[in-house]
Amino acid sequence: MMNTKMLRRRFAVLVPMGLVVALAMTACGSGGGTGGGTGGAEQKTITIATSNDAPFSFTDQASGELKGIDGDMIKAIADSKGWKIKVFTSEFATLIAALNAKKADVIVDAMYITDDRKKEINFTDPWYTEGEAMVVPANSTLASRDDVKGKVLGAQTGTVFKDLVDSLGGSQVKLFDSQAALLAAVENKQVDAVFTDSAVIGYSLVQKPNPKLKLVAPYKPYYPGIIGAGVRKDDSQLLQDLNSGLAELKKSPKYLEILKKYGLGEANMSK
C-alpha cells in the first residue's frame, strides 16, 4: 500500500538547514497565529506553515522571497485579499500539529488531501493534482505504462516507485541512489523508462533543460495525489476566504502560469 505522505516527500529538494532555522526564528518572532483584521488601517497577516521544500513552498535563498507552486499560489490569493504573509517552517510530519497548536494559520506545502488528515484539519478545495511521472529518452516511442512490459525500467532506491516498476513486467529493474543518477541512466539509455515524482522532475527540467529526456504526456499517474491547503477545524472564515481566492485564481491565466513555471501543466490543473 502506498504511503501518500512518503510519496509527497520522497523527492522534495530540501533548502539548506541554515535557512530553515533562520526562517523558523523569523516566524517565531512574528508570534504566529492570525494577524489583524481586514478592516481599518491594519492589514491582515496570515502565517503559513511549510517544510520549506522546493518546488512546492520554499524561501528563495537569493531573494528571500516565498516561492514554489504552493508558495506562488498563496501569494496570488493573498494579493487578491490584501493579506500579508509570514512563514513558519517545520518538518513536514509536524505541520498538522503546528497548525493545531496555532503556530500558523494554514498549511501550504503540497499536502495530499486524505481521509486520515481530514480527521484532524479541514482542507481547501483542491489546488492541483500531482503524482508520478514517466521519463524516457527523447526519441522513445513509449507512451504509457502499458508499453513498458519487457523493457528495462528504473527507479530511485528506497522509493515507492520501485514497487511500481516491479509490477510492470519489465525485463530488468535497475535502482539508482539519486535523482541525478536516475536521469543520467535515461539519458545514456541504460534504461528504457523510469518513474519518479512529477513535480520534482518537472521542476528539475525547468531549472536545467535536457533535450535528451522526455516526460511522457499525457500521462495518468498510478499514484495520483490531490493537493490542498489545510486549516484548523474551527477556522471556517479563513477556509471560505481561501476557497474564494482560489476560485478567482483558477479563473485567471496566472493559475496555469504558476504550474508551468515549476514544470507542471494542464494535466495538473484542478477544476
Side-chain angles (χ1 to χ4, degrees):
M1 182 69 68
M2 185 199 60
N3 182 326
T4 53
K5 183 165 68 177
M6 181 182 296
L7 174 65
R8 157 68 182 82
R9 273 291 169 265
R10 181 63 66 183
F11 295 108
V13 180
L14 294 175
V15 175
M17 186 56 69
L19 181 56
V20 173
V21 173
L23 288 166
M25 292 175 63
T26 300
C28 290
S30 75
T34 305
T38 54
E42 186 177 1
Q43 186 176 19
K44 179 174 180 175
T45 297
I46 62 167
T47 301
I48 69 162
T50 172
S51 58
N52 208 31
D53 288 348
F56 304 109
S57 179
F58 63 100
T59 299
D60 181 74
Q61 296 180 61
S63 66
E65 296 180 359
L66 177 66
K67 292 190 175 182
I69 306 166
D70 303 71
D72 282 9
M73 289 179 69
I74 190 64
K75 285 197 299 184
I77 292 171
D79 285 345
S80 72
K81 299 294 184 182
W83 299 339
K84 291 181 179 178
I85 294 175
K86 288 187 177 180
V87 176
F88 173 82
T89 60
S90 184
E91 295 292 334
F92 186 81
T94 67
L95 291 178
I96 289 179
L99 176 73
N100 284 329
K102 298 188 176 181
K103 293 182 179 178
D105 302 306
V106 55
I107 297 171
V108 180
D109 201 27
M111 183 169 279
Y112 281 12
I113 300 173
T114 67
D115 289 340
D116 282 346
R117 288 172 177 156
K118 285 180 181 178
K119 296 174 183 175
E120 300 182 77
I121 61 175
N122 284 334
F123 280 98
T124 62
D125 295 333
W127 284 31
Y128 60 94
T129 63
E130 194 258 339
E132 88 278 1
M134 177 175 166
V135 187
V136 298
N139 61 354
S140 174
T141 59
L142 300 179
S144 74
R145 289 190 300 274
D146 294 335
D147 295 338
V148 303
K149 189 173 183 179
K151 303 296 183 182
V152 180
L153 306 178
Q156 189 170 343
T157 304
T159 70
V160 294
F161 303 120
K162 176 186 180 300
D163 298 335
L164 173 60
V165 296
D166 283 343
S167 72
L168 295 177
S171 63
Q172 184 181 1
V173 171
K174 294 185 177 181
L175 300 178
F176 300 88
D177 290 336
S178 68
Q179 181 88 340
L182 187 70
L183 298 183
V186 180
E187 182 177 343
N188 298 328
K189 300 187 178 180
Q190 300 173 38
V191 294
D192 297 303
V194 299
F195 294 84
T196 186
D197 185 279
S198 65
V200 176
I201 183 62
Y203 182 63
S204 174
L205 293 179
V206 166
Q207 296 294 303
K208 187 177 180 181
N210 188 333
K212 295 182 179 180
L213 304 180
K214 179 172 67 177
L215 278 174
V216 172
Y219 175 82
K220 185 176 181 180
Y222 184 81
Y223 292 140
I226 300 174
I227 307 300
V231 301
R232 285 184 294 277
K233 287 281 189 180
D234 61 357
D235 207 345
S236 56
Q237 184 60 56
L238 179 58
L239 182 64
Q240 180 178 328
D241 291 343
L242 288 166
N243 280 335
S244 64
L246 176 64
E248 290 182 24
L249 174 62
K250 288 182 175 180
K251 292 177 183 175
S252 76
K254 190 175 184 64
Y255 178 52
L256 183 56
E257 290 173 6
I258 291 172
L259 294 177
K260 288 187 172 180
K261 178 180 178 182
Y262 295 97
L264 300 182
E266 287 87 347
N268 303 99
M269 297 174 70
S270 176
K271 295 181 180 178

